[in-house]
Amino acid sequence: MSRTGNLFVISGPSGAGKGTLVKRVLDRVPDAWVSISATTRAPRAGEVDGVSYFFLSDDQFDDLIAQDGFLEWASVHTARYGTPRASVEERLAAGVQVILEIDVQGAFQVKRYMPECHLVFIAPPSMEELRARLEGRGSETPEAIAERMATAEVELAQKKKYDYTVVNDNLDEATDQLVAYIESLAERE
């Protein structure tokens, strides 16, 4: 049985566990690959071009936009971020399970370009648990947590527009659910 390449767009509020789940999927789905975003912001300490992000100048980013080279892009604070189209399309054609970990707005942009993609929403078990996770990080100010909580409410209101939702209450169960969903769509004759 050969495998069909699929595009999985994974979104959810900050603190829902998207990054952790994606890392666990990569350990269990051998042909899964996480797309690398492009950005106009400067690299942070330890970030490597082509691994962490593709670091582009404003002109390079503008050129890609003009060439329809992004599946989605957005301005975030003082920088722009986007998903390069070419690398995603190459891997899909090779039968790879491509994962984009992006926000809700970006997910809907991708769905417009590639209606065959699979939108997966990672939800926290409750808003109280989400707040506890954000506070437990110890890296955010109370103002930043309040902002993330407000954003989470807006994002959670969009989850019914997604193809599949995983409630990340138990990490092992959530991983099993996400892996099973990806595998069920990858295995085609």
Side-chain angles (χ1 to χ4, degrees), residues 39-45 47 55-56 79 81:
T39 184
T40 58
R41 75 162 171 74
R44 295 181 183 134
E47 290 183 330
F55 295 100
L56 305 178
Y81 295 82

Side-chain angles (χ1 to χ4, degrees), residues 26-107:
L26 291 175
D27 289 340
R28 293 190 36 197
V29 180
D31 63 343
W33 173 78
V34 178
S35 174
I36 300 167
S37 295
T39 184
T40 58
R41 75 162 171 74
R44 295 181 183 134
E47 290 183 330
V48 178
D49 186 47
V51 176
S52 309
Y53 287 93
F54 293 110
F55 295 100
L56 305 178
S57 68
D58 280 317
D59 288 344
Q60 290 170 315
F61 204 95
D62 289 340
D63 288 346
L64 270 176
I65 291 170
Q67 298 163 15
D68 199 25
F70 288 111
L71 287 177
E72 58 84 31
W73 70 272
S75 294
V76 181
H77 306 297
T78 59
R80 291 180 291 172
Y81 295 82
T83 302
R85 175 190 298 277
S87 57
V88 169
E89 289 178 343
E90 287 166 14
R91 284 179 174 77
L92 288 173
V96 172
Q97 309 315 306
V98 176
I99 298 172
L100 304 183
E101 185 184 328
I102 57 177
D103 67 10
V104 170
Q105 175 186 342

Side-chain angles (χ1 to χ4, degrees), residues 163-180:
D163 301 309
Y164 190 70
T165 298
V166 174
V167 176
N168 188 10
D169 190 10
N170 175 296
L171 189 55
D172 289 334
E173 289 175 16
T175 302
D176 289 346
Q177 289 172 13
L178 186 52
V179 167

